[in-house]
């Protein structure tokens, strides 16, 4: 059963902050969405052993040194940059 | 006008690349205010591209794409040109590189007119979740275009480009093509490199083509397909030459019609139009084969669980630090990320991330994500069995025609269930093409889809082209 505690847990995992009103709306939306997702639980898995499907990877490229993009271009889209580095709030 | 015809006119100097580009820019200036199909119009750089293309033509070195003006969906990275994914999160993002498809087309001196509007991060089927406002249908501007490549489809339908690049994760090329009365091709998974396509669900995403005809979709696919060392899932199996079967005899082919696609929930007018198309192929001499996809009933749930799980992971890169919106709120590192994502993402994107984390989190993973992947395997097996009996499968593209703006796009459950006829193609990694097969009583286009074997785009393009040649297509009038 979906409830606001589960929504808060998922919000934490998703790293998204919500106001109380937004949380209430999200709980309501997720309750309705999970109701249709429950359909997968009806799928009969007892008939055979299913391999968990994986994406086919083709030829992996050779592990060779290549020049990367210039640092200035990589940091150009960041909002807070100092000495060609991303600035973040103090962590420790 | 057909891309091959435009090529001929450019090569014979009946029109210059600059004149052709200017015509489309004029169309955009006049008409796009009514439909909002572009987020960014690159008027100046398009004219520069066109001048360069004309030099190439004049020097006798033109290729198939030189000087052809196209639009590009705004989730495909374009060097130096804003690529927003229709999100506030990426409102100012300017990629430092081109997607592989753009590198290929630019090497042929194609002209990029601009970047088209879409559902935010390609999550939606209405093109109304864009941060830059919704897209309106050129056949009736009070209605949606479908999505997520709604801007791409509308730009083609309204003659605001010669053809368009879109992307298709669960129907996002085919369904808007259906709603906007044009042709949309979703290639086989791996046929086209995803390098530079901003990731939504990596095992399902595929760049596709929207144009006025099946032949044109194949024409443009010739310019973008192929293995790419930057995308480990791209394939060497594609052979190109996608229009080589156009005009060939398709009357000996077997066409599968799956009963599960014609049940409850399908609009009667759509059912009639699609079954009329089946009758057309029967009269042509094709053998019509009854086939079945019994696990269709699980497809929408499996699709949303897999795609959302992948989206939750893919979109974790948007943290407000490296690129994208950075919130000014919050004291610490975690607050910065959480507030940036709160301010930057729209509601539907947040729902998908939450759903994805639900499917992946402890206690739910086995019942939801694992079962969804088992259903994926089952659907692949059912398709393999179908293609032992027939060469292509014919289905409706969507259960309805374009609906009124505001009618259902705010109800996520209704929106998800409407993807029923398109998602299995992505789940199984197959190619499919949607074209118009009729018009409903309101004059709105009805789409049918032709689904083919993996890497057999040529056949579905040829079968689709045969129908289009005998079909009286009506242009949108803006």
């Amino acid at each position: 059963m979906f409830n606001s505690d589960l929504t808060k847990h998922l919000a934490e995992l998703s790293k998204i902050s919500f106001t109380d009103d937004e949380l209430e709306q999200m709980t309501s939306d997720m309750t309705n969405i999970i109701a249709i997702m429950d359909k997968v639980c009806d799928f009969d898995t007892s008939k055979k052993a299913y391999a968990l499907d994986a994406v086919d990877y083709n030829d992996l490229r050779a592990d060779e040194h290549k020049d990367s993009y210039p640092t200035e271009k990589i940091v150009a889209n960041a909002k807070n940059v100092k000495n060609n580095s991303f600035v973040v709030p103090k962590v420790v | 006008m057909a891309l091959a015809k435009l090529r001929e006119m450019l090569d014979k100097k009946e029109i210059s690349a600059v004149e052709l580009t200017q015509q489309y820019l004029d169309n955009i200036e006049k008409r796009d205010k009514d439909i909002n199909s572009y987020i960014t119009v690159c008027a100046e750089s398009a004219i520069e591209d066109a001048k360069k293309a004309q030099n190439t033509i004049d020097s006798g070195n033109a290729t198939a794409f030189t000087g052809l003006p196209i639009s590009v969906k705004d989730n495909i990275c374009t060097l130096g040109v804003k690529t927003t994914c229709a999100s506030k999160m990426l409102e100012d993002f300017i990629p430092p590189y081109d997607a592989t498809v753009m590198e290929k087309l630019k090497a042929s001196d194609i002209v990029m007119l601009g970047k088209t509007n879409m559902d935010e991060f390609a999550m939606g089927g209405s093109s109304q979740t864009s941060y830059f406002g919704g897209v309106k249908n050129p056949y009736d501007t009070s209605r949606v275009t479908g999505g997520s490549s709604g801007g791409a489809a509308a730009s083609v339908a309204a003659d605001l480009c010669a053809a368009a690049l879109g992307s298709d994760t669960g129907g996002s090329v085919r369904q808007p093509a259906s709603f906007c009365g044009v042709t949309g091709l979703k290639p086989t998974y791996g046929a086209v490199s995803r390098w530079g396509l901003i990731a939504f669900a990596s095992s399902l995403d595929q760049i596709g083509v929207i144009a006025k005809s099946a032949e044109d979709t194949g024409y443009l696919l010739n310019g973008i397909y192929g293995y790419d060392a930057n995308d480990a899932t791209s394939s060497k199996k594609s052979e190109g030459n996608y229009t080589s079967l156009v005009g060939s005899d398709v009357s000996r082919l077997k066409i599968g019609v799956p009963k599960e696609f014609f049940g409850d929930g399908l609009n009667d007018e759509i059912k009639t139009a699609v079954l009329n198309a089946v009758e057309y192929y029967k009269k042509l001499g094709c053998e019509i084969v009854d086939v079945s996809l019994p696990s269709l009933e699980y497809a929408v749930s499996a699709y949303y669980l897999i795609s959302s799980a992948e989206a939750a992971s893919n979109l974790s890169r948007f943290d407000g630090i490296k690129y994208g919106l950075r919130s000014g709120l919050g004291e610490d590192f975690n607050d910065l990320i959480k507030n940036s994502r709160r301010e930057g993402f729209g509601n539907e994107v947040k729902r998908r991330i939450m759903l994805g984390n639900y499917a992946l989190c402890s206690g739910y993973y086995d019942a939801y994500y694992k079962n969804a992947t088992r259903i994926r395997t089952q659907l692949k097996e059912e398709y393999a069995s179908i293609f032992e009996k027939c060469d292509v499968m014919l289905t409706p593209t969507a259960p309805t025609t374009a609906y009124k703006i505001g009618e259902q796009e705010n109800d996520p459950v209704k929106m998800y269930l409407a993807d029923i006829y398109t998602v299995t193609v992505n789940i199984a990694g197959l190619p499919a093409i949607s074209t118009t097969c009729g018009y409903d009583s309101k004059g709105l286009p009805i789409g049918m889809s032709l689904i083919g074997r993996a890497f057999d785009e040529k056949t579905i393009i040829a079968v689709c082209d045969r129908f289009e040649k005998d079909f009286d297509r009506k242009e949108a009038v803006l």
Side-chain angles (χ1 to χ4, degrees):
Chain A
M1 184 64 195
F2 220 91
N3 56 38
S4 60
D5 285 344
L6 183 50
T7 312
K8 282 179 194 165
H9 176 58
L10 292 177
E12 190 60 35
L13 290 175
S14 303
K15 292 242 180 280
I16 302 173
S17 63
F18 290 99
T19 63
D20 287 347
D21 285 350
E22 288 168 347
L23 209 61
E24 193 180 328
Q25 181 60 49
M26 184 57 77
T27 303
S28 166
D29 288 348
M30 291 302 291
T31 302
N32 296 332
I33 290 168
I34 297 302
I36 59 168
M37 297 306 139
D38 282 344
K39 182 72 185 170
V40 299
C41 304
D42 298 340
F43 182 67
D44 184 1
T45 57
S46 64
K47 287 183 193 163
K48 56 183 171 183
Y50 286 95
L52 291 183
D53 185 67
V55 170
D56 292 330
Y57 288 95
N58 298 296
D59 298 83
L60 296 174
R61 69 173 182 256
D63 189 12
E64 292 168 345
H65 167 81
K66 266 168 57 177
D67 287 338
S68 186
Y69 296 103
T71 310
E72 306 79 50
K73 284 195 172 181
I74 296 300
V75 299
N77 279 290
K79 296 290 185 292
N80 199 342
V81 173
K82 198 172 176 183
N83 299 330
N84 267 350
S85 302
F86 303 117
V87 177
V88 297
K90 193 173 176 182
V91 177
V92 287
Chain B
M1 193 175 293
L3 295 180
K5 179 65 182 167
L6 288 176
R7 171 82 274 128
E8 188 185 323
M9 290 173 70
L10 287 165
D11 290 342
K12 286 183 175 173
K13 313 279 173 72
E14 291 169 10
I15 189 168
S16 75
V18 174
E19 287 167 341
L20 182 62
T21 299
Q22 192 59 57
Q23 275 188 16
Y24 283 112
L25 290 173
D26 290 346
N27 288 352
I28 293 169
E29 176 75 25
K30 264 186 272 177
R31 298 177 200 159
D32 201 45
K33 58 183 183 303
D34 295 328
I35 58 171
N36 198 28
S37 67
Y38 281 86
I39 289 174
T40 303
V41 179
C42 305
E44 282 181 28
S45 63
I47 292 295
E48 289 307 310
D49 289 350
K51 285 178 182 168
K52 186 165 173 262
Q54 191 58 48
N55 287 338
T56 305
I57 294 167
D58 292 342
S59 63
N61 294 318
T63 66
F65 311 101
T66 308
L68 294 179
I70 64 161
S71 70
V72 178
K73 188 176 179 181
D74 212 19
N75 60 349
I76 297 173
C77 284
T78 44
L79 174 66
V81 176
K82 223 167 42 165
T83 299
T84 70
C85 266
S87 180
K88 186 179 180 184
M89 178 62 86
L90 291 177
E91 187 177 5
D92 303 316
F93 177 66
I94 298 176
Y97 68 100
D98 266 323
T100 297
V101 292
M102 294 311 298
E103 273 184 1
K104 287 185 179 214
L105 293 174
K106 283 183 178 177
S108 301
D109 289 324
I110 207 154
V111 175
M112 185 178 79
L113 294 163
K115 306 295 295 289
T116 51
N117 207 348
M118 53 186 277
D119 280 301
E120 185 184 2
F121 281 101
M123 296 172 185
S126 66
S127 297
Q128 302 304 304
T129 66
S130 167
Y131 174 65
F132 302 95
V135 192
K136 294 173 181 173
N137 194 312
Y139 281 83
D140 178 346
T141 54
S142 70
R143 292 176 185 274
V144 301
T145 52
S148 64
S149 310
S155 70
V156 172
D159 279 326
L160 309 187
C161 62
L165 292 185
S167 69
D168 191 318
T169 304
S172 283
V173 157
R174 292 159 285 152
Q175 184 254 25
S178 166
F179 278 18
C180 292
V182 290
T183 306
L185 173 67
K186 182 255 167 211
T188 308
Y189 184 78
V192 179
S193 169
R194 292 180 294 108
W195 173 254
L197 171 69
I198 295 178
F200 160 15
S202 306
S203 76
L204 302 159
D205 293 341
Q206 186 61 182
I207 290 175
V209 178
I210 299 178
K212 283 276 179 79
S213 69
E215 186 172 3
D216 277 0
T217 62
Y219 189 104
L220 192 53
L221 183 59
N222 282 334
I224 60 171
Y225 82 96
Y227 172 73
D228 176 15
N230 285 330
D231 174 3
T233 62
S234 67
S235 174
K236 290 179 176 170
K237 289 180 190 163
S238 301
E239 295 169 354
N241 213 1
Y242 290 106
T243 56
S244 59
L245 296 181
V246 166
S248 65
D249 180 15
V250 298
S251 66
R252 291 173 196 276
L253 294 177
K254 291 179 183 173
I255 295 182
V257 180
K259 59 176 184 275
E260 292 86 358
F261 285 67
F262 293 85
D264 292 343
L266 178 62
N267 171 294
D268 284 342
E269 289 186 285
I270 295 176
K271 187 175 183 177
T272 302
V274 176
L275 290 177
N276 283 345
V278 172
E279 196 57 29
Y280 166 85
Y281 286 113
K282 191 176 176 182
K283 280 184 184 158
L284 209 60
C286 297
E287 185 182 338
I288 306 301
V289 185
D290 289 333
V291 294
S292 177
L293 195 72
S295 297
L296 180 69
E297 62 177 316
Y298 302 105
V300 167
S301 311
Y303 167 78
Y304 273 92
L305 289 164
I306 293 168
S307 64
S308 299
E310 293 181 16
S313 173
N314 274 325
L315 271 65
S316 64
R317 73 192 64 184
F318 299 104
D319 54 11
I321 295 167
K322 301 183 292 297
Y323 36 69
L325 183 143
R326 179 175 177 133
S327 174
L329 299 174
E331 298 293 313
D332 65 21
F333 184 71
N334 262 328
D335 281 350
L336 168 65
I337 296 173
K338 286 180 182 176
N339 286 319
S340 297
R341 289 163 69 79
R342 174 180 184 273
E343 292 170 32
F345 291 140
N347 288 336
E348 182 57 24
V349 175
K350 288 174 186 166
R351 281 192 286 265
R352 303 281 184 113
I353 293 171
M354 296 280 281
L355 174 60
N357 280 320
Y358 176 81
L360 293 174
C361 80
S362 175
Y364 300 100
Y365 176 77
D366 281 346
Y368 290 92
Y369 184 76
K370 267 192 176 176
N371 258 10
T373 58
R374 289 183 181 112
I375 292 165
R376 182 177 205 166
T377 304
Q378 178 67 26
L379 282 163
K380 281 185 174 181
E381 288 176 10
E382 289 174 15
Y383 265 115
S385 167
I386 284 172
F387 286 118
E388 284 173 7
K389 301 186 189 92
C390 64
D391 301 293
V392 299
M393 195 168 103
L394 196 160
T395 71
T397 303
T400 67
T401 52
Y403 48 86
K404 289 270 188 190
I405 292 169
E407 199 171 279
Q408 77 174 52
E409 64 270 21
N410 297 320
D411 181 341
V413 170
K414 263 191 185 173
M415 291 299 296
Y416 297 178
L417 293 173
D419 293 340
I420 181 78
Y421 300 139
T422 50
V423 293
T424 59
V425 162
N426 302 77
I427 289 172
L430 300 174
I433 191 165
S434 175
T435 192
T436 310
C437 65
Y439 298 88
D440 70 8
S441 49
K442 299 182 191 76
L444 300 167
I446 294 170
M448 69 167 180
S449 283
L450 294 154
I451 303 167
R453 296 184 178 102
F455 299 103
D456 191 16
E457 284 85 356
K458 283 179 196 174
T459 299
I460 56 171
I461 288 169
V463 173
C464 188
D465 169 79
R466 186 68 182 85
F467 181 87
E468 288 177 346
K469 292 267 163 61
D470 285 333
F471 179 72
D472 184 18
R473 188 177 170 277
K474 295 171 184 154
E475 294 286 342
V477 180
L478 268 175

